């Protein structure tokens, strides 16, 4: 039996595009001799559809799309994910399900049992967990078909109280298939290989795994669909960060003709690089825009975003705006212009002095006798925000936000100023990773100017300002932040690890005090296991421990 | 047996304040002869603690606070809610639980079974549902103690597959107690009375119900704790929108000395009025600020916010900033000044012309040959945003956002302009309700100037602009919006109700296209069953049906 896996980039709610992709790949699979073609979890509607699932019309359109796909399955079978109605009088309205379709009709509906409801996941908001498990049968073979998380209790994950495969294995299946929408983080891929391998070996069955690829606003799917033999050995791995399609031969209860391979270990920074480019591309493609604008300061953050945007959209679609003030150093303008020259994007220079002065004048009667402070620094950042949004409004550019994760964490940014933008490109990348990313971008040719990388980071909002005036060095800061944000450790535990008490308490207080700002930031491309945004839901007026 | 109900205003994560309140009311109850005092769901930590629950230290502090409370229960028993650890090897880490404490020690731990995970609720993110149900015993009586949602399956709510009271009733309890954190909406109170009444009558038991009161950022609890007799008749109702404390006498399995009463029907607008004032007060009190700033345009929205803020914080703590442009009409300035005079708050007048002109000049080379359009309107709104944020930064004022729900819905507002602010006061109040609210505020004396109420709404961003130039009349608009947002109806269904097709499609498209803006708006005080914010989670780059 020949089984095709189609690793595709879906678009949430775009039935026309998703259905066409699925149908095209059914025809391709058939043309290449496959008897079964497998698509990802919720392939019909994209993942995560969020509250689209609460609109009855949306569910009807999912079913209509599935029926349209079914029309193209003469002489071939297919499997894809979609939400289906719960017809029982109790429980949530929907199941996260998969259709097994053969020769035009739905032969089986498989439902997901383990519903992730942590971090970015909200599946209990919409779905009832499955309680019954049955293998599907195809051409005399039994297939244990599961949906994503249903294989993730293999290590007795404390989140869940049962394990669907323990039920399915009683029916003596010949093959396991798992369809997934498993979001990327730079730590996730190794764990995924381990979990899937362990399933194959524990149940002593070959396993085919199909993931989604592509970005849906902040959530990025990296693909990396895989095949394992019954000893849990990886025997094939599909592309990362792009669509892919493979046909496997399943004979005598084995996936034939494949040798053991080693999981391709991609360095974290390379993964982050590819993920961010895909994230930018899909944000623009799926929202129907082509052109980006960003403020280019001469510093490393905006330089990286500019370079990534040029790789994602083409330099001809990127407008870099230099907005120097009286506090901008000469080298900043030169560094920014060097970058523009290196990558060939468009640029404008607009000095902000006139607007900043106007605000100073207008506020003079109200601020009389008060010294300049953070207020005036924020005014500068907000003047830049206005200029960038004006460019966006006038020319249809989408504004890219250039704040990094260390800044977002400690609130080192101006709301409605440098925190403006439609999408935060590097808001989940710590400053120490930013430097690595710059080196990675420069690996084949100098793109980010050397001076941009080596000079001390500065917001240049007052004379001779340096980040290090008000923040600890980034190596230390980022370690403390990771312990607090990713690991959810207490200040006490972090101090016990050897970090200086005053510093730890100050950093955590900064993080907590910035919740109100982060509430209003753009969505941030998620590349870590714990990004700011929908995966981290903190109170605003709550009293924090530090 | 005398049982006290304490309806209190907790603060999320503020163990010091919550514990003190609970202990004070234990002493008060004891002094007044009560043998049992009952506090609300998650009283120890406040509701909703959100991802605070993922920090181990937070859970330890909840337990420590509970132990401190226990020290004060000599000669009295108490019941309060708190998160407790799930000691089993499987399932979520926590239960949403209640302690029953008598004479210093925890005699029973009751766990919640029905975990709301819809709209603003995320309880499955943190909690494992209870599977075992046991009455607590106190002074020879059996009490069926349940937590909030556990009584909400009385009408066979399709969300849930079981009903904890059906188990508890088998143990032949004498009394029902329900502790809750049941968020306010102007439609919620009547339903609550009905559900509770039905529980009491169906199980033929008296019922005491204790709710929280107070606001936690956007979520407002209205109190309204209640007592029912075993026929399901309401016999007492505590205060709405403020703390309250009552002692009931439970003898011969009845709540003695209370006559049937009618549920106090408070008009929607009065409820909204009181809820918003409490929402403002608690935002400031719980975040440690006293003073508010807002932009006062002369229009009805900012007038209402100004009036509510003055009622919540005192006029001496409210700074209204008039920021006229060349497009502002004379009557706008006069109307704004009339309001200031009526309510006695502080004000400043800052004309925005100089800054707006500066931006026009700075952008002239880039915008050469292009006609003025929305870009220039947005620049004006954003200049105002900068001024208000400068006032906030310099003086420590908290900026109140004045956008109403109709505007938020259709995206009729400028991101980083009039959409700035720390908290959206009227972002869940439709424009048609805004007019009613103005009349309500004026019921005893003229506060909102008559001209502000009767003049045609206008953003005054270009000459002679009116809202009605680009939007349908608000009566129609708000009806369509309610069908789409609150009722989640499709455009087809709304058109079938008799609304004009072009209008419906246009309105829904405006709503959908504004998702990216709403992602970055301040938290909005929730007064309806479906507010923008955490209770409505829509994709951003998804393809919408209209």
């Amino acid at each position: 039996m020949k089984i095709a896996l189609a690793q595709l980039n879906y678009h949430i709610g775009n039935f026309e595009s998703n259905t066409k992709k699925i149908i095209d790949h059914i025809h391709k699979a058939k043309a290449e001799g496959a008897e079964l073609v497998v698509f990802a979890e919720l392939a019909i509607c994209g993942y995560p559809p969020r509250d689209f699932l609460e609109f009855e019309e949306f569910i009807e359109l999912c079913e209509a799309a599935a029926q349209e796909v079914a029309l193209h399955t003469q002489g071939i079978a297919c499997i894809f994910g979609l939400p289906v109605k719960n017809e029982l009088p109790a429980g949530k309205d929907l199941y996260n399900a998969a259709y097994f379709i053969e020769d035009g009709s739905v032969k089986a509906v498989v439902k997901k049992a383990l519903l992730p409801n942590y971090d970015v996941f909200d599946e209990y908001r919409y779905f009832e967990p499955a309680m019954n498990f049955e293998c599907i049968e195809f051409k005399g073979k039994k297939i244990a078909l599961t949906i994503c998380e249903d294989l993730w209790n293999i290590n007795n994950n404390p989140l869940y109280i049962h394990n669907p495969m323990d039920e399915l294995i009683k029916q003596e299946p010949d093959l396991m298939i798992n369809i997934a929408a498993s979001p990327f983080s730079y730590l996730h891929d190794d764990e995924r290989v381990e979990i899937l391998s362990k399933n194959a070996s524990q149940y002593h069955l070959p396993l085919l795994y199909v993931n989604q690829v592509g970005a849906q606003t902040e959530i990025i799917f990296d693909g990396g669909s895989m095949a394992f033999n019954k000893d849990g050995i990886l025997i094939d791995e599909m592309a990362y960060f792009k669509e892919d399609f493979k046909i496997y031969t399943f004979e005598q209860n084995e996936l034939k003709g494949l040798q053991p391979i080693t999981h391709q270990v991609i360095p974290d920074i390379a993964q982050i690089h590819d993920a961010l480019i895909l994230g930018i591309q899909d944000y623009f493609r799926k929202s129907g825009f082509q052109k980006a604008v960003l403020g280019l300061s001469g510093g490393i953050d905006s330089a990286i975003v500019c370079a990534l945007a040029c790789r994602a959209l083409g330099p001809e679609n990127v407008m870099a705006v230099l907005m120097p003030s009286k506090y901008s150093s000469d080298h900043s303008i030169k560094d920014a212009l060097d970058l523009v020259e290196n990558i060939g994007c468009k640029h404008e220079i607009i000095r902000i002095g006139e607007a900043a002065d106007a605000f100073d004048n207008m506020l003079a009667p109200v601020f009389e006798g008060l010294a300049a402070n953070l207020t005036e620094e924020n005014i500068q950042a907000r003047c830049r925000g206005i200029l960038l949004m004006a460019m966006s409004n006038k020319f249809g550019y989408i504004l890219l936000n250039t704040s990094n994760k260390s800044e977002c964490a400690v609130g080192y940014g101006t709301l409605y100023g440098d925190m403006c933008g439609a999408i935060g490109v590097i808001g989940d990348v710590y400053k120490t990773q930013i430097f690595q990313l710059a080196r990675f971008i420069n690996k084949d040719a100098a793109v980010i100017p050397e001076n941009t990388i080596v000079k001390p980071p500065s917001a240049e909002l007052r004379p001779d300002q340096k980040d290090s005036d008000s923040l600890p060095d980034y190596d230390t800061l980022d370690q403390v932040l990771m312990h607090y944000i990713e690991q959810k450790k207490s200040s006490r535990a972090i101090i016990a690890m050897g970090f200086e008490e005053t510093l730890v308490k100050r950093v955590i207080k900064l993080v907590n005090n910035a919740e109100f700002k982060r509430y209003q930031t753009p969505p941030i491309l998620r590349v870590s296991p714990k990004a700011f945004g929908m995966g981290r839901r903190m109170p605003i007026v709550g009293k924090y421990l530090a």
Side-chain angles (χ1 to χ4, degrees), chain A:
Chain A
M1 187 196 307
K2 289 199 165 194
I3 304 175
L5 304 191
Q7 170 179 299
L8 304 179
N9 188 339
Y10 305 99
H11 179 196
I12 293 168
N14 193 334
F15 295 107
E16 196 182 336
S17 140
N18 297 342
T19 307
K20 183 175 183 311
K21 274 197 183 191
I22 292 170
I23 291 171
D24 286 352
H25 284 82
I26 289 174
H27 290 302
K28 179 179 165 71
K30 197 170 154 184
E32 296 181 20
E35 293 153 88
L36 171 65
V37 50
V38 187
F39 303 90
E41 179 180 12
L42 296 193
I44 285 285
C45 59
Y47 191 99
R50 311 197 81 193
D51 285 3
F52 277 176
L53 292 170
E54 298 189 347
F55 287 78
E56 206 171 321
E57 189 181 13
F58 186 81
I59 305 304
E60 288 166 15
L61 287 168
C62 288
E63 178 60 27
Q67 294 304 330
E68 195 189 332
V69 169
L71 298 176
H72 295 265
T73 55
Q74 296 310 318
I76 189 165
C78 75
I79 289 167
F80 57 80
L82 80 171
V84 301
K85 283 189 192 173
N86 175 8
E87 305 292 354
L88 296 173
K92 293 277 185 176
D93 288 344
L94 300 172
Y95 287 103
N96 181 342
Y99 274 179
F100 167 60
I101 296 183
E102 196 184 351
D103 287 334
S105 62
V106 179
K107 293 285 165 63
V109 183
V110 167
K111 295 161 184 168
K112 188 174 182 177
L114 305 187
L115 301 176
N117 209 73
Y118 51 82
D119 192 59
V120 297
F121 298 106
D122 279 313
E123 292 201 18
Y124 263 100
R125 188 172 169 91
Y126 314 105
F127 300 121
E128 184 66 15
M131 296 306 232
N132 301 309
F133 305 98
E134 214 163 327
C135 291
I136 61 176
E137 299 202 24
F138 180 57
K139 307 222 174 214
K141 294 291 174 189
K142 279 192 186 164
I143 301 172
L145 171 62
T146 53
I147 302 175
C148 203
E149 198 89 348
D150 278 357
L151 289 191
W152 284 69
N153 198 14
I154 194 73
N155 288 331
N156 298 313
N157 183 333
L159 283 177
Y160 301 112
I161 45 183
H162 55 196
N163 185 348
M165 267 311 296
D166 286 344
E167 299 302 316
L168 289 166
I169 197 69
K170 294 174 189 165
Q171 299 165 29
E172 301 183 356
D174 302 295
L175 171 69
M176 293 166 74
I177 294 178
N178 184 262
I179 65 172
S182 178
F184 165 74
S185 88
Y186 64 82
L187 292 178
H188 192 56
D189 59 326
D190 299 337
E191 188 190 7
R192 188 160 57 199
V193 172
E194 189 215 315
I195 292 282
L196 294 170
S197 162
K198 196 159 175 189
N199 270 278
S201 65
Q202 181 160 320
Y203 298 107
H204 209 56
L205 289 174
L207 166 59
L208 293 172
Y209 168 81
V210 191
N211 194 12
Q212 294 202 359
V213 70
Q216 310 284 6
T217 315
E218 62 272 74
I219 297 184
I220 300 165
F221 298 97
D222 59 341
S225 301
M226 283 175 273
F228 295 85
N229 70 19
K230 64 177 67 170
D231 299 317
I233 308 289
L234 184 68
I235 50 177
D236 198 35
E237 192 169 15
M238 286 164 70
Y240 283 89
F241 301 110
K242 58 184 179 203
E243 294 193 336
D244 204 354
F245 179 85
K246 286 274 184 79
I247 297 183
Y248 298 94
T249 303
F250 180 66
E251 271 176 24
Q252 286 137 350
N253 285 5
E254 299 211 15
L255 296 167
K256 288 288 168 185
L258 292 168
Q259 298 306 313
I261 59 167
T262 311
H263 164 56
Q264 32 173 316
V265 178
I266 311 169
D268 291 353
I269 286 298
Q271 291 187 56
I272 291 172
H273 174 268
D274 292 355
L276 297 179
I277 287 175
L278 182 56
I280 298 169
Q281 273 171 344
D282 275 358
Y283 187 93
F284 280 73
R285 192 152 42 97
K286 293 177 181 175
S287 55
F289 291 95
Q290 282 78 41
K291 294 183 296 178
V293 63
L294 77 161
L296 196 67
S297 68
I300 192 165
D301 298 319
S302 57
I304 293 233
V305 173
C306 192
L308 293 172
C310 288
R311 289 181 180 187
L313 308 171
E316 70 282 8
N317 289 316
V318 176
M319 165 61 80
V321 187
L322 285 69
M323 295 170 290
S325 77
K326 56 188 168 187
Y327 304 121
S328 301
S329 54
D330 292 340
H331 70 73
S332 288
I333 300 164
K334 180 181 181 308
D335 293 342
L337 290 173
D338 284 350
L339 177 80
V340 166
E341 186 161 328
N342 289 349
I343 54 181
C345 66
K346 293 183 286 186
H347 80 282
E348 295 284 354
I349 302 180
I350 309 175
R351 301 201 155 260
I352 62 164
E354 186 176 351
D357 290 346
F359 283 109
D360 284 348
N361 290 339
M362 290 154 67
L363 286 161
V366 185
F367 288 178
E368 201 184 337
L370 298 170
N373 61 2
L374 208 64
T375 308
E376 285 72 16
E377 297 186 26
N378 284 336
I379 287 174
Q380 296 170 61
R382 291 186 177 123
C383 285
R384 294 191 174 110
I386 289 195
L387 289 170
L388 292 168
M389 288 306 294
M391 298 285 286
S392 168
N393 291 158
K394 193 65 105 185
F395 300 112
Y397 293 122
I398 294 298
L399 176 57
L400 299 178
N401 176 279
T402 62
S403 306
N404 66 58
K405 188 172 190 174
S406 311
E407 289 175 340
C408 292
V410 297
Y412 198 72
T414 300
L415 199 52
Y416 322 128
D418 52 305
M419 291 175 72
C420 290
I423 182 86
V425 176
I426 53 169
D428 197 28
V429 184
Y430 284 114
K431 189 78 174 192
T432 43
Q433 296 172 312
I434 290 287
F435 288 105
Q436 298 169 38
L437 195 48
R439 294 295 175 199
F440 182 83
I441 289 169
N442 280 0
K443 72 180 159 42
D444 299 321
V447 176
I448 316 280
E450 187 63 19
N451 194 48
T452 290
I453 303 176
V454 299
K455 70 185 173 186
S458 167
E460 298 195 331
L461 292 168
R462 57 175 185 265
D464 301 320
Q465 187 180 28
K466 300 272 176 296
D467 289 12
S468 54
D469 301 344
S470 48
L471 291 178
D473 73 272
Y474 279 112
D475 276 346
T476 310
L477 176 65
D478 288 356
Q479 285 183 63
V480 173
L481 292 173
M482 269 201 227
H483 289 304
Y484 185 58
I485 295 161
E486 269 86 344
Q487 310 291 334
K488 297 172 205 158
K489 290 197 178 115
S490 66
S491 59
R492 203 176 46 197
I494 300 171
I495 292 161
M497 297 174 72
F499 292 92
E500 206 259 306
E501 178 169 350
T502 322
L503 181 148
V504 170
K505 292 201 163 158
R506 200 176 126 243
V507 167
I508 292 183
K509 202 174 180 61
L510 288 170
V511 175
N512 297 339
N513 286 346
E515 286 306 335
F516 79 97
K517 284 190 187 181
R518 277 193 296 273
Y519 188 95
Q520 297 186 44
T521 43
I524 288 170
L525 293 176
R526 178 187 182 274
V527 297
S528 84
K530 186 54 78 181
F532 294 124
M534 63 193 280
R536 189 171 183 275
R537 305 179 187 172
M538 303 297 282
I540 297 181
V541 301
K543 184 165 193 300
Y544 283 75
L545 299 180

Coordinates of all heavy atoms in Angstrom, one line a residue, chain A residues 14-43:
Chain A
N14 N -9.7 30.1 5.4 CA -9.7 30.3 3.9 C -10.1 28.9 3.2 O -9.2 28.2 2.8 CB -8.3 30.8 3.5 CG -8.3 31.3 2.0 OD1 -9.2 30.8 1.2 ND2 -7.4 32.2 1.7
F15 N -11.4 28.6 3.2 CA -11.8 27.3 2.7 C -11.4 27.1 1.2 O -11.1 26.1 0.8 CB -13.3 27.2 2.9 CG -13.7 27.2 4.3 CD1 -14.3 28.2 4.9 CD2 -13.4 26.1 5.1 CE1 -14.6 28.2 6.3 CE2 -13.7 26.0 6.5 CZ -14.3 27.1 7.1
E16 N -11.5 28.2 0.5 CA -11.2 28.1 -0.9 C -9.8 27.6 -1.1 O -9.5 26.7 -1.8 CB -11.4 29.5 -1.6 CG -11.5 29.5 -3.1 CD -11.6 30.9 -3.6 OE1 -12.1 31.8 -2.9 OE2 -11.2 31.1 -4.8
S17 N -8.8 28.3 -0.4 CA -7.4 28.0 -0.6 C -7.1 26.6 0.0 O -6.4 25.8 -0.6 CB -6.6 29.1 -0.1 OG -5.5 28.6 0.6
N18 N -7.6 26.3 1.2 CA -7.3 25.1 1.9 C -7.8 23.9 1.1 O -7.2 22.9 0.9 CB -7.9 25.0 3.3 CG -7.2 26.1 4.2 OD1 -6.2 26.6 3.9 ND2 -7.9 26.4 5.3
T19 N -9.1 24.0 0.6 CA -9.7 22.9 -0.1 C -9.0 22.7 -1.4 O -8.7 21.5 -1.8 CB -11.2 23.3 -0.4 OG1 -11.8 23.7 0.8 CG2 -11.9 22.1 -1.0
K20 N -8.6 23.8 -2.1 CA -7.9 23.6 -3.4 C -6.6 22.9 -3.2 O -6.2 21.9 -3.9 CB -7.7 25.0 -4.0 CG -7.0 24.9 -5.4 CD -6.8 26.2 -6.1 CE -6.2 26.1 -7.5 NZ -5.0 25.3 -7.5
K21 N -5.8 23.3 -2.1 CA -4.6 22.6 -1.8 C -4.8 21.1 -1.5 O -4.0 20.3 -2.0 CB -3.9 23.2 -0.5 CG -3.1 24.4 -0.8 CD -2.2 24.8 0.3 CE -1.5 26.1 -0.1 NZ -0.4 26.4 0.8
I22 N -5.8 20.8 -0.8 CA -6.0 19.4 -0.4 C -6.4 18.6 -1.7 O -5.9 17.5 -1.9 CB -7.1 19.3 0.7 CG1 -6.6 19.9 2.0 CG2 -7.6 17.9 0.9 CD1 -7.7 20.1 3.1
I23 N -7.3 19.2 -2.5 CA -7.7 18.5 -3.7 C -6.6 18.3 -4.6 O -6.3 17.2 -5.2 CB -8.9 19.2 -4.3 CG1 -10.2 19.1 -3.4 CG2 -9.2 18.7 -5.7 CD1 -11.3 20.0 -3.9
D24 N -5.8 19.3 -4.8 CA -4.6 19.2 -5.7 C -3.7 18.1 -5.3 O -3.1 17.4 -6.1 CB -3.8 20.5 -5.7 CG -4.5 21.6 -6.5 OD1 -5.5 21.3 -7.2 OD2 -4.0 22.8 -6.4
H25 N -3.5 18.0 -4.0 CA -2.6 16.9 -3.5 C -3.2 15.5 -3.5 O -2.5 14.6 -3.5 CB -2.0 17.3 -2.1 CG -1.0 18.4 -2.2 ND1 -1.3 19.7 -2.3 CD2 0.4 18.3 -2.3 CE1 -0.2 20.4 -2.4 NE2 0.9 19.6 -2.4
I26 N -4.5 15.5 -3.5 CA -5.2 14.2 -3.7 C -4.9 13.7 -5.1 O -4.5 12.6 -5.3 CB -6.7 14.3 -3.4 CG1 -6.9 14.5 -1.9 CG2 -7.4 13.1 -3.9 CD1 -8.4 14.7 -1.5
H27 N -5.1 14.6 -6.0 CA -4.8 14.3 -7.5 C -3.4 13.9 -7.7 O -3.0 13.0 -8.4 CB -5.3 15.4 -8.4 CG -6.8 15.6 -8.4 ND1 -7.6 14.5 -8.8 CD2 -7.6 16.6 -8.1 CE1 -8.9 14.9 -8.7 NE2 -8.9 16.2 -8.3
K28 N -2.5 14.7 -7.1 CA -1.0 14.4 -7.2 C -0.7 13.0 -6.6 O 0.0 12.2 -7.2 CB -0.3 15.5 -6.4 CG 1.3 15.4 -6.4 CD 1.9 16.6 -5.6 CE 3.3 16.4 -5.3 NZ 4.2 16.4 -6.4
A29 N -1.3 12.7 -5.5 CA -1.0 11.4 -4.8 C -1.5 10.3 -5.7 O -0.8 9.3 -5.9 CB -1.7 11.4 -3.4
K30 N -2.7 10.5 -6.2 CA -3.3 9.5 -7.1 C -2.4 9.3 -8.3 O -2.1 8.1 -8.7 CB -4.7 9.9 -7.4 CG -5.6 8.8 -8.0 CD -7.0 9.3 -8.1 CE -7.8 8.5 -9.1 NZ -9.1 9.0 -9.3
A31 N -2.0 10.4 -8.9 CA -1.2 10.3 -10.1 C 0.1 9.6 -9.8 O 0.6 8.9 -10.7 CB -0.9 11.7 -10.7
E32 N 0.6 9.7 -8.6 CA 1.9 9.0 -8.3 C 1.7 7.6 -7.7 O 2.6 7.1 -7.1 CB 2.7 9.9 -7.4 CG 3.1 11.2 -8.1 CD 3.9 12.2 -7.3 OE1 4.6 11.7 -6.3 OE2 4.0 13.4 -7.6
G33 N 0.5 7.1 -7.8 CA 0.2 5.8 -7.4 C -0.2 5.5 -5.9 O -0.2 4.4 -5.4
A34 N -0.4 6.6 -5.1 CA -0.7 6.4 -3.7 C -2.2 5.9 -3.6 O -3.0 6.3 -4.4 CB -0.5 7.7 -3.0
E35 N -2.5 5.2 -2.6 CA -3.8 4.7 -2.3 C -4.5 5.4 -1.2 O -5.7 5.4 -1.0 CB -3.8 3.2 -2.0 CG -3.3 2.4 -3.2 CD -2.7 1.1 -2.8 OE1 -3.4 0.1 -2.6 OE2 -1.4 1.1 -2.6
L36 N -3.6 6.1 -0.4 CA -4.1 6.9 0.7 C -3.3 8.1 0.9 O -2.0 8.0 0.7 CB -4.0 6.0 2.0 CG -4.3 6.8 3.4 CD1 -5.7 7.2 3.5 CD2 -4.0 5.8 4.6
V37 N -3.9 9.3 1.1 CA -3.1 10.5 1.3 C -3.6 11.2 2.6 O -4.8 11.2 2.8 CB -3.2 11.5 0.0 CG1 -4.6 11.7 -0.4 CG2 -2.5 12.8 0.3
V38 N -2.6 11.6 3.4 CA -2.9 12.1 4.7 C -2.6 13.5 4.9 O -1.4 13.9 4.5 CB -2.1 11.2 5.7 CG1 -2.6 11.6 7.2 CG2 -2.3 9.7 5.5
F39 N -3.5 14.3 5.4 CA -3.3 15.7 5.6 C -3.3 16.0 7.1 O -3.6 15.1 7.9 CB -4.4 16.6 4.9 CG -4.4 16.3 3.4 CD1 -5.2 15.3 2.9 CD2 -3.6 17.1 2.6 CE1 -5.3 15.1 1.5 CE2 -3.7 16.9 1.2 CZ -4.5 15.9 0.7
A40 N -3.1 17.2 7.6 CA -2.8 17.5 9.0 C -4.1 17.7 9.8 O -5.2 17.7 9.2 CB -2.0 18.8 9.1
E41 N -4.0 17.9 11.1 CA -5.1 18.2 12.0 C -5.7 19.5 11.5 O -5.0 20.5 11.1 CB -4.4 18.4 13.4 CG -5.4 18.8 14.5 CD -4.7 19.0 15.8 OE1 -3.5 19.1 15.9 OE2 -5.4 19.1 16.8
L42 N -7.0 19.6 11.6 CA -7.8 20.8 11.2 C -7.3 21.4 9.9 O -7.3 22.6 9.7 CB -7.8 21.8 12.3 CG -8.5 21.5 13.6 CD1 -8.8 22.7 14.5 CD2 -9.9 20.8 13.4
A43 N -7.0 20.5 8.9 CA -6.5 21.0 7.7 C -7.5 21.8 6.9 O -7.2 22.8 6.2 CB -6.0 19.8 6.8

